[in-house]
């Protein structure tokens, strides 16, 4: 009897968690109200340069992302005055658990659970509870030429982003943050193993004649296709669009 009761309670807890996460995802992609995003900066490499860069961040440092999403939402016919709001949260001093080195489904699940536990323990309280939490780890570009991967998880709506502590890299940082933010809403990557954008979903202008070179990047492909084997990283969100496939995934339109 006691054992049955214990199992029933456990199932109820699991169902409540699953329902809570499903409802959060539904709310995030309904686009009826402003979606609140908080960016929590983290000194990713412990450097003085990252420290100084984080100190220099302002409440409007992510305004380009807010404007980009507002423009793209409008272009896709989403009728909400201010689709997202990006607030600068307090600095977080404890780094998130490192992402798994080998790509297995089990290690991905384990990492996702560890990350949510870490976020629950280490996220400072903010006046407004954010719908999406983005943790941005800054690194000094002088000593980190190659950047680590970034991740955006739909479950828990958490992003872990590796960015450069440099004003010159602000545009590409904004692009990475926007890309991972879209993952938290359910958008998928649109590039292949060679990092080349997939046609047609990963192209900003899939019907352009000739197809190459393209002028813009699709956000979830992340690169501007120049030829069949070459593509460039955009300098800022001014060179980026959200294509119909990604727009459909985040609830902006019916699947094309
Ligand atoms: Zn991605």
């Amino acid at each position: 009897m006691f054992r049955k009761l214990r199992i029933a309670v456990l199932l109820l807890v699991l169902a409540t968690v699953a329902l809570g996460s499903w409802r959060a995802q539904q709310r995030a992609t309904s686009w009826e109200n402003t979606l609140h995003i908080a960016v929590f900066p983290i000194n990713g490499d412990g450097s003085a340069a990252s420290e100084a860069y984080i100190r220099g961040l302002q409440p409007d440092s992510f305004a380009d992302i807010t404007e980009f999403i507002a423009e793209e939402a409008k272009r896709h016919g989403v009728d909400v005055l201010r689709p997202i709001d990006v607030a600068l949260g307090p600095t977080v001093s404890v780094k998130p658990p490192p992402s798994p080195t080998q790509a297995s489904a089990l290690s991905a699940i384990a990492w996702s659970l560890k990350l949510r536990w870490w976020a629950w323990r280490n996220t400072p309280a903010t006046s407004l509870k954010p719908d999406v939490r983005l943790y941005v780890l800054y690194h000094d570009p002088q000593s980190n030429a190659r950047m680590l991967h970034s991740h955006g998880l739909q479950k828990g709506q958490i992003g872990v982003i590796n960015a450069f502590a440099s004003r010159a890299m602000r545009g590409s940082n904004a692009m990475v943050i926007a890309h991972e933010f879209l993952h938290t809403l359910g958008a998928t990557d649109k590039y292949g193993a060679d990092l080349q954008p997939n046609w047609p979903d990963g192209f900003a202008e899939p019907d352009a004649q000739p197809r190459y070179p393209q002028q813009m990047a699709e956000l979830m492909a992340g690169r501007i296709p120049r030829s069949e084997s070459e593509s460039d990283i955009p300098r800022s969100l001014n060179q980026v669009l959200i294509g119909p496939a990604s727009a459909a995934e985040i609830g902006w339109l019916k699947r094309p």
Side-chain angles (χ1 to χ4, degrees), residues 150 179-180 183 188-189 191 220:
S150 295
H179 175 103
E180 301 306 334
H183 274 315
T188 57
D189 282 322
Y191 57 83
M220 300 315 288

Side-chain angles (χ1 to χ4, degrees), residues 6-27:
R6 220 170 47 180
I7 291 171
V9 169
L10 191 66
L11 285 176
L12 190 70
V13 169
L14 282 174
T16 311
V17 170
L19 185 70
S21 140
W22 180 81
R23 279 170 59 181
Q25 282 168 32
Q26 291 296 308
R27 203 170 43 237

Side-chain angles (χ1 to χ4, degrees), residues 3 40 55 78 82 91 102 126 129 131 156 159 193 219 221 255:
R3 188 184 142 81
F40 299 97
R55 254 203 317 273
V78 175
R82 202 176 159 75
T91 303
Q102 79 261 60
T126 44
K129 193 178 175 293
D131 300 298
L219 182 61
R255 198 164 283 277

